[in-house]
Amino acid sequence: MRKALVIQEDIIILKIIERLVVLNHYECKAIRSINDLDIEDQSENFDVIISDILFDGIAPLDFVFQIQEIILHKSLIIVTNMGQKKIQKEILASQNVIGFFPIPLDMDNIQKLIA
C-alpha cells in the first residue's frame, strides 16, 4: 500500500486532506507539525508528502529544504495560505515538488496528483 504524510497546523484542512488520501488508497500519517514526527517516520519512505509551509520559527523555503533532507519521499505537494508568487516559483523549482496549492483548496487537482 502507498504511504502518505500530511503536515498541516490547521486541523480542519488536515482532516480534509487526510480523508482525501485515505480515499485514494494510501496509508496516511497526519500530523500538525514536523516536531510530531517519530524517528521511525524519518526512515519511512513516503510516496507523497502533503504539507503547509507556514510554521512558526522557520522560513517557507527552509521548511521545504528541511523536509527534503530529513524525510524520504517520492513527491511533495504544498497546500498553504501563502500566496506569494516568488515563493511559489522557488518552491516549485525544488526537487520532488509536484504541486503548490493555495487555500481555498483545489481538491480536484490535488486528487489528480495523488491518484
Side-chain angles (χ1 to χ4, degrees), residues 25-57:
H25 312 290
Y26 283 83
E27 181 182 313
C28 182
K29 176 162 184 115
I31 58 177
R32 296 190 64 196
S33 162
I34 200 165
N35 298 329
D36 296 336
L37 281 177
D38 299 330
I39 294 295
E40 298 83 40
D41 298 327
Q42 293 180 26
S43 61
E44 189 73 59
N45 191 0
F46 291 97
D47 293 288
V48 65
I49 298 173
I50 303 175
S51 180
D52 198 345
I53 52 173
L54 296 176
F55 295 97
D56 285 340

mmCIF file of all heavy atoms in Angstrom, residues 25-57:
data_model
loop_
_atom_site.group_PDB
_atom_site.id
_atom_site.type_symbol
_atom_site.label_atom_id
_atom_site.label_comp_id
_atom_site.label_asym_id
_atom_site.label_seq_id
_atom_site.Cartn_x
_atom_site.Cartn_y
_atom_site.Cartn_z
ATOM 1 N N HIS A 25 -6.609 5.376 -1.427
ATOM 2 C CA HIS A 25 -5.920 4.126 -1.099
ATOM 3 C C HIS A 25 -4.481 4.307 -0.630
ATOM 4 O O HIS A 25 -3.587 3.567 -1.030
ATOM 5 C CB HIS A 25 -5.984 3.153 -2.287
ATOM 6 C CG HIS A 25 -7.365 3.031 -2.853
ATOM 7 N ND1 HIS A 25 -8.391 2.406 -2.168
ATOM 8 C CD2 HIS A 25 -7.903 3.498 -4.001
ATOM 9 C CE1 HIS A 25 -9.494 2.480 -2.892
ATOM 10 N NE2 HIS A 25 -9.234 3.131 -4.008
ATOM 11 N N TYR A 26 -4.273 5.293 0.231
ATOM 12 C CA TYR A 26 -2.986 5.480 0.885
ATOM 13 C C TYR A 26 -3.117 5.141 2.356
ATOM 14 O O TYR A 26 -4.164 5.379 2.965
ATOM 15 C CB TYR A 26 -2.538 6.958 0.817
ATOM 16 C CG TYR A 26 -1.988 7.405 -0.499
ATOM 17 C CD1 TYR A 26 -2.837 7.801 -1.524
ATOM 18 C CD2 TYR A 26 -0.620 7.479 -0.713
ATOM 19 C CE1 TYR A 26 -2.328 8.240 -2.730
ATOM 20 C CE2 TYR A 26 -0.104 7.928 -1.912
ATOM 21 C CZ TYR A 26 -0.967 8.299 -2.924
ATOM 22 O OH TYR A 26 -0.468 8.749 -4.116
ATOM 23 N N GLU A 27 -2.051 4.619 2.920
ATOM 24 C CA GLU A 27 -1.913 4.566 4.364
ATOM 25 C C GLU A 27 -1.440 5.961 4.741
ATOM 26 O O GLU A 27 -0.474 6.458 4.169
ATOM 27 C CB GLU A 27 -0.862 3.510 4.715
ATOM 28 C CG GLU A 27 -0.611 3.309 6.168
ATOM 29 C CD GLU A 27 0.477 2.270 6.379
ATOM 30 O OE1 GLU A 27 0.420 1.201 5.746
ATOM 31 O OE2 GLU A 27 1.381 2.564 7.172
ATOM 32 N N CYS A 28 -2.098 6.627 5.678
ATOM 33 C CA CYS A 28 -1.817 8.040 5.933
ATOM 34 C C CYS A 28 -1.413 8.306 7.375
ATOM 35 O O CYS A 28 -2.061 7.842 8.306
ATOM 36 C CB CYS A 28 -3.052 8.880 5.596
ATOM 37 S SG CYS A 28 -2.810 10.647 5.822
ATOM 38 N N LYS A 29 -0.347 9.086 7.529
ATOM 39 C CA LYS A 29 0.024 9.636 8.835
ATOM 40 C C LYS A 29 -0.237 11.132 8.733
ATOM 41 O O LYS A 29 0.308 11.801 7.855
ATOM 42 C CB LYS A 29 1.484 9.363 9.151
ATOM 43 C CG LYS A 29 1.886 10.034 10.470
ATOM 44 C CD LYS A 29 3.141 9.468 11.052
ATOM 45 C CE LYS A 29 3.405 10.110 12.384
ATOM 46 N NZ LYS A 29 3.324 9.201 13.481
ATOM 47 N N ALA A 30 -1.084 11.656 9.610
ATOM 48 C CA ALA A 30 -1.439 13.080 9.594
ATOM 49 C C ALA A 30 -0.973 13.716 10.895
ATOM 50 O O ALA A 30 -1.355 13.258 11.978
ATOM 51 C CB ALA A 30 -2.942 13.245 9.420
ATOM 52 N N ILE A 31 -0.129 14.747 10.775
ATOM 53 C CA ILE A 31 0.419 15.429 11.944
ATOM 54 C C ILE A 31 0.290 16.937 11.776
ATOM 55 O O ILE A 31 0.129 17.433 10.668
ATOM 56 C CB ILE A 31 1.900 15.044 12.190
ATOM 57 C CG1 ILE A 31 2.758 15.364 10.959
ATOM 58 C CG2 ILE A 31 2.007 13.573 12.584
ATOM 59 C CD1 ILE A 31 4.244 15.084 11.142
ATOM 60 N N ARG A 32 0.365 17.662 12.885
ATOM 61 C CA ARG A 32 0.172 19.111 12.837
ATOM 62 C C ARG A 32 1.477 19.871 12.748
ATOM 63 O O ARG A 32 1.472 21.068 12.471
ATOM 64 C CB ARG A 32 -0.642 19.559 14.041
ATOM 65 C CG ARG A 32 -2.044 18.918 13.948
ATOM 66 C CD ARG A 32 -3.032 19.425 14.906
ATOM 67 N NE ARG A 32 -3.339 20.825 14.695
ATOM 68 C CZ ARG A 32 -3.941 21.569 15.595
ATOM 69 N NH1 ARG A 32 -4.278 21.056 16.746
ATOM 70 N NH2 ARG A 32 -4.196 22.830 15.353
ATOM 71 N N SER A 33 2.605 19.210 12.977
ATOM 72 C CA SER A 33 3.896 19.884 12.955
ATOM 73 C C SER A 33 4.990 18.861 12.661
ATOM 74 O O SER A 33 4.854 17.684 13.007
ATOM 75 C CB SER A 33 4.160 20.528 14.316
ATOM 76 O OG SER A 33 5.519 20.826 14.487
ATOM 77 N N ILE A 34 6.062 19.318 12.056
ATOM 78 C CA ILE A 34 7.205 18.433 11.785
ATOM 79 C C ILE A 34 7.785 17.902 13.096
ATOM 80 O O ILE A 34 8.385 16.840 13.136
ATOM 81 C CB ILE A 34 8.253 19.163 10.918
ATOM 82 C CG1 ILE A 34 9.156 18.137 10.239
ATOM 83 C CG2 ILE A 34 9.019 20.178 11.707
ATOM 84 C CD1 ILE A 34 9.970 18.688 9.105
ATOM 85 N N ASN A 35 7.557 18.634 14.185
ATOM 86 C CA ASN A 35 8.024 18.186 15.507
ATOM 87 C C ASN A 35 7.290 16.941 15.994
ATOM 88 O O ASN A 35 7.737 16.288 16.936
ATOM 89 C CB ASN A 35 7.864 19.306 16.541
ATOM 90 C CG ASN A 35 8.690 20.523 16.195
ATOM 91 O OD1 ASN A 35 9.749 20.410 15.583
ATOM 92 N ND2 ASN A 35 8.204 21.691 16.569
ATOM 93 N N ASP A 36 6.150 16.616 15.368
ATOM 94 C CA ASP A 36 5.373 15.438 15.753
ATOM 95 C C ASP A 36 5.866 14.153 15.083
ATOM 96 O O ASP A 36 5.297 13.087 15.291
ATOM 97 C CB ASP A 36 3.889 15.636 15.411
ATOM 98 C CG ASP A 36 3.266 16.774 16.211
ATOM 99 O OD1 ASP A 36 3.787 17.094 17.295
ATOM 100 O OD2 ASP A 36 2.266 17.339 15.733
ATOM 101 N N LEU A 37 6.919 14.258 14.272
ATOM 102 C CA LEU A 37 7.468 13.076 13.605
ATOM 103 C C LEU A 37 8.211 12.184 14.589
ATOM 104 O O LEU A 37 8.934 12.664 15.450
ATOM 105 C CB LEU A 37 8.455 13.492 12.508
ATOM 106 C CG LEU A 37 7.892 13.956 11.183
ATOM 107 C CD1 LEU A 37 9.018 14.393 10.275
ATOM 108 C CD2 LEU A 37 7.068 12.875 10.526
ATOM 109 N N ASP A 38 8.039 10.893 14.426
ATOM 110 C CA ASP A 38 8.814 9.918 15.188
ATOM 111 C C ASP A 38 10.094 9.605 14.412
ATOM 112 O O ASP A 38 10.169 9.845 13.203
ATOM 113 C CB ASP A 38 8.022 8.607 15.344
ATOM 114 C CG ASP A 38 6.725 8.797 16.093
ATOM 115 O OD1 ASP A 38 6.658 9.700 16.948
ATOM 116 O OD2 ASP A 38 5.775 8.039 15.816
ATOM 117 N N ILE A 39 11.053 9.017 15.085
ATOM 118 C CA ILE A 39 12.279 8.584 14.411
ATOM 119 C C ILE A 39 11.941 7.588 13.295
ATOM 120 O O ILE A 39 12.511 7.644 12.212
ATOM 121 C CB ILE A 39 13.272 7.939 15.426
ATOM 122 C CG1 ILE A 39 13.767 8.986 16.416
ATOM 123 C CG2 ILE A 39 14.425 7.264 14.726
ATOM 124 C CD1 ILE A 39 14.600 10.100 15.821
ATOM 125 N N GLU A 40 10.976 6.696 13.557
ATOM 126 C CA GLU A 40 10.578 5.713 12.543
ATOM 127 C C GLU A 40 10.021 6.400 11.287
ATOM 128 O O GLU A 40 10.227 5.938 10.177
ATOM 129 C CB GLU A 40 9.505 4.755 13.089
ATOM 130 C CG GLU A 40 9.940 3.919 14.265
ATOM 131 C CD GLU A 40 9.821 4.659 15.601
ATOM 132 O OE1 GLU A 40 8.835 5.388 15.829
ATOM 133 O OE2 GLU A 40 10.746 4.514 16.413
ATOM 134 N N ASP A 41 9.314 7.520 11.485
ATOM 135 C CA ASP A 41 8.747 8.254 10.352
ATOM 136 C C ASP A 41 9.852 8.778 9.440
ATOM 137 O O ASP A 41 9.694 8.829 8.225
ATOM 138 C CB ASP A 41 7.906 9.446 10.827
ATOM 139 C CG ASP A 41 6.713 9.013 11.660
ATOM 140 O OD1 ASP A 41 6.158 7.932 11.394
ATOM 141 O OD2 ASP A 41 6.345 9.761 12.576
ATOM 142 N N GLN A 42 10.958 9.179 10.032
ATOM 143 C CA GLN A 42 12.039 9.750 9.241
ATOM 144 C C GLN A 42 12.714 8.698 8.368
ATOM 145 O O GLN A 42 13.277 9.031 7.331
ATOM 146 C CB GLN A 42 13.056 10.441 10.149
ATOM 147 C CG GLN A 42 12.471 11.672 10.812
ATOM 148 C CD GLN A 42 13.460 12.379 11.717
ATOM 149 O OE1 GLN A 42 14.656 12.293 11.526
ATOM 150 N NE2 GLN A 42 12.939 13.076 12.709
ATOM 151 N N SER A 43 12.644 7.446 8.771
ATOM 152 C CA SER A 43 13.248 6.396 7.949
ATOM 153 C C SER A 43 12.219 5.758 7.014
ATOM 154 O O SER A 43 12.569 4.952 6.160
ATOM 155 C CB SER A 43 13.901 5.335 8.831
ATOM 156 O OG SER A 43 12.932 4.735 9.660
ATOM 157 N N GLU A 44 10.967 6.118 7.170
ATOM 158 C CA GLU A 44 9.888 5.629 6.303
ATOM 159 C C GLU A 44 10.042 6.270 4.928
ATOM 160 O O GLU A 44 10.448 7.416 4.813
ATOM 161 C CB GLU A 44 8.546 6.029 6.914
ATOM 162 C CG GLU A 44 7.347 5.427 6.249
ATOM 163 C CD GLU A 44 7.189 3.955 6.559
ATOM 164 O OE1 GLU A 44 7.068 3.595 7.730
ATOM 165 O OE2 GLU A 44 7.183 3.179 5.601
ATOM 166 N N ASN A 45 9.723 5.530 3.880
ATOM 167 C CA ASN A 45 9.775 6.105 2.539
ATOM 168 C C ASN A 45 8.346 6.392 2.081
ATOM 169 O O ASN A 45 7.632 5.496 1.665
ATOM 170 C CB ASN A 45 10.481 5.155 1.564
ATOM 171 C CG ASN A 45 10.792 5.828 0.254
ATOM 172 O OD1 ASN A 45 10.492 6.993 0.041
ATOM 173 N ND2 ASN A 45 11.396 5.084 -0.651
ATOM 174 N N PHE A 46 7.942 7.667 2.176
ATOM 175 C CA PHE A 46 6.582 8.059 1.808
ATOM 176 C C PHE A 46 6.480 8.252 0.300
ATOM 177 O O PHE A 46 7.387 8.794 -0.329
ATOM 178 C CB PHE A 46 6.191 9.355 2.525
ATOM 179 C CG PHE A 46 6.022 9.186 4.004
ATOM 180 C CD1 PHE A 46 7.053 9.502 4.875
ATOM 181 C CD2 PHE A 46 4.838 8.687 4.536
ATOM 182 C CE1 PHE A 46 6.910 9.337 6.247
ATOM 183 C CE2 PHE A 46 4.683 8.518 5.903
ATOM 184 C CZ PHE A 46 5.723 8.850 6.760
ATOM 185 N N ASP A 47 5.355 7.825 -0.256
ATOM 186 C CA ASP A 47 5.115 8.072 -1.675
ATOM 187 C C ASP A 47 4.850 9.550 -1.913
ATOM 188 O O ASP A 47 5.289 10.119 -2.904
ATOM 189 C CB ASP A 47 3.933 7.230 -2.173
ATOM 190 C CG ASP A 47 4.276 5.754 -2.155
ATOM 191 O OD1 ASP A 47 5.067 5.324 -3.005
ATOM 192 O OD2 ASP A 47 3.770 5.040 -1.266
ATOM 193 N N VAL A 48 4.122 10.164 -0.986
ATOM 194 C CA VAL A 48 3.808 11.591 -1.124
ATOM 195 C C VAL A 48 3.748 12.240 0.259
ATOM 196 O O VAL A 48 3.305 11.622 1.223
ATOM 197 C CB VAL A 48 2.486 11.815 -1.904
ATOM 198 C CG1 VAL A 48 1.285 11.276 -1.152
ATOM 199 C CG2 VAL A 48 2.288 13.275 -2.258
ATOM 200 N N ILE A 49 4.225 13.477 0.308
ATOM 201 C CA ILE A 49 4.052 14.317 1.487
ATOM 202 C C ILE A 49 3.211 15.505 1.043
ATOM 203 O O ILE A 49 3.519 16.139 0.027
ATOM 204 C CB ILE A 49 5.398 14.817 2.044
ATOM 205 C CG1 ILE A 49 6.268 13.644 2.503
ATOM 206 C CG2 ILE A 49 5.156 15.795 3.208
ATOM 207 C CD1 ILE A 49 7.673 14.043 2.916
ATOM 208 N N ILE A 50 2.162 15.791 1.773
ATOM 209 C CA ILE A 50 1.327 16.965 1.506
ATOM 210 C C ILE A 50 1.456 17.860 2.732
ATOM 211 O O ILE A 50 1.083 17.459 3.834
ATOM 212 C CB ILE A 50 -0.141 16.578 1.246
ATOM 213 C CG1 ILE A 50 -0.237 15.602 0.079
ATOM 214 C CG2 ILE A 50 -0.969 17.838 0.975
ATOM 215 C CD1 ILE A 50 -1.630 15.055 -0.178
ATOM 216 N N SER A 51 2.012 19.054 2.541
ATOM 217 C CA SER A 51 2.351 19.884 3.688
ATOM 218 C C SER A 51 2.087 21.359 3.442
ATOM 219 O O SER A 51 2.155 21.841 2.323
ATOM 220 C CB SER A 51 3.840 19.697 4.011
ATOM 221 O OG SER A 51 4.213 20.482 5.127
ATOM 222 N N ASP A 52 1.851 22.046 4.548
ATOM 223 C CA ASP A 52 1.856 23.502 4.547
ATOM 224 C C ASP A 52 3.326 23.939 4.576
ATOM 225 O O ASP A 52 4.224 23.110 4.735
ATOM 226 C CB ASP A 52 1.121 24.027 5.788
ATOM 227 C CG ASP A 52 0.704 25.490 5.673
ATOM 228 O OD1 ASP A 52 1.209 26.194 4.773
ATOM 229 O OD2 ASP A 52 -0.115 25.924 6.495
ATOM 230 N N ILE A 53 3.574 25.236 4.408
ATOM 231 C CA ILE A 53 4.936 25.761 4.520
ATOM 232 C C ILE A 53 5.019 26.877 5.549
ATOM 233 O O ILE A 53 6.084 27.429 5.771
ATOM 234 C CB ILE A 53 5.480 26.275 3.168
ATOM 235 C CG1 ILE A 53 4.508 27.260 2.538
ATOM 236 C CG2 ILE A 53 5.804 25.103 2.248
ATOM 237 C CD1 ILE A 53 5.027 27.959 1.293
ATOM 238 N N LEU A 54 3.891 27.205 6.178
ATOM 239 C CA LEU A 54 3.862 28.285 7.156
ATOM 240 C C LEU A 54 3.867 27.721 8.563
ATOM 241 O O LEU A 54 2.840 27.261 9.072
ATOM 242 C CB LEU A 54 2.611 29.157 6.951
ATOM 243 C CG LEU A 54 2.531 29.900 5.627
ATOM 244 C CD1 LEU A 54 1.204 30.640 5.512
ATOM 245 C CD2 LEU A 54 3.691 30.857 5.480
ATOM 246 N N PHE A 55 5.038 27.717 9.180
ATOM 247 C CA PHE A 55 5.186 27.237 10.543
ATOM 248 C C PHE A 55 6.027 28.243 11.314
ATOM 249 O O PHE A 55 6.945 28.837 10.764
ATOM 250 C CB PHE A 55 5.862 25.860 10.570
ATOM 251 C CG PHE A 55 5.031 24.775 9.930
ATOM 252 C CD1 PHE A 55 5.258 24.411 8.613
ATOM 253 C CD2 PHE A 55 4.031 24.137 10.635
ATOM 254 C CE1 PHE A 55 4.487 23.428 8.011
ATOM 255 C CE2 PHE A 55 3.256 23.151 10.043
ATOM 256 C CZ PHE A 55 3.487 22.788 8.730
ATOM 257 N N ASP A 56 5.705 28.427 12.595
ATOM 258 C CA ASP A 56 6.444 29.375 13.432
ATOM 259 C C ASP A 56 7.924 29.024 13.486
ATOM 260 O O ASP A 56 8.293 27.865 13.659
ATOM 261 C CB ASP A 56 5.896 29.373 14.862
ATOM 262 C CG ASP A 56 4.567 30.100 14.974
ATOM 263 O OD1 ASP A 56 4.249 30.908 14.072
ATOM 264 O OD2 ASP A 56 3.850 29.863 15.962
ATOM 265 N N GLY A 57 8.759 30.052 13.321
ATOM 266 C CA GLY A 57 10.188 29.885 13.528
ATOM 267 C C GLY A 57 10.982 29.360 12.359
ATOM 268 O O GLY A 57 12.182 29.120 12.494
#
